[in-house]
Amino acid sequence: MSLIAVLIAVGGCAAEPTVSLPSGGPTPSPDVLLEPGQLTGSWTEAKTGDGSWASLEDDLVPCSRRAIAPGHAPVRFRVFRAADGASVSQLVVSEVDGMDSFKRFYAECLAVGEVESKTGPSHVARYAEELEIAAFTEDRLMVISGPVSRDDLRRIADIARRHLTGGS
């Protein structure tokens, strides 16, 4: 009898509430995005938003390739500005097969630029003077984008990857 009570108690606590987009689909939790204080230096938040992959602003789509994720996938993004005027964006696509989206990032970015794989695992793409670094979890793809000239972009991407996977 006590086993049944435990199963009922555990089952009743399992679901987390989700916030719905106007289209009715759930949005990823805001905690997947970095805060400016998590980056070293003088970064500020310039813009934060969410929506679907299909409605994402063109300048935020990695390598300008929409085939990386399904159009209905929920997306959250944040753009940071440095004191020198440079900007870096973090994009998190949810409710996708993370490995599949990670592979598509590699293939799609390779079609228009160059891509190398790094431990982490992460893919580093160069396209149109941008450096775009992708990492994934089981159901999310995360991409950090910024100018190739930013020496700290790989460090920012590593912080974002650890944050996304719960490794702080």
Side-chain angles (χ1 to χ4, degrees), residues 49-136:
D50 58 23
S52 69
W53 177 259
S55 67
L56 190 63
E57 297 171 22
D58 289 341
D59 62 331
L60 292 172
V61 176
C63 303
S64 295
R65 305 297 282 208
R66 292 226 180 243
I68 292 171
H72 68 276
V75 176
R76 284 196 49 81
F77 67 88
R78 179 161 289 148
V79 178
F80 301 94
R81 265 236 203 271
D84 64 4
S87 67
V88 168
S89 63
Q90 178 189 17
L91 171 73
V92 179
V93 186
S94 295
E95 297 180 19
V96 294
D97 179 315
M99 176 62 88
D100 185 51
S101 295
F102 187 64
K103 289 177 184 178
R104 285 181 186 211
F105 174 91
Y106 184 90
E108 293 295 326
C109 290
L110 188 59
V112 295
E114 54 183 83
V115 183
E116 59 183 300
S117 294
K118 297 287 186 180
T119 56
S122 65
H123 292 320
V124 180
R126 285 172 188 78
Y127 168 74
E129 303 302 318
E130 289 279 312
L131 193 63
E132 299 181 319
I133 304 171
F136 71 99

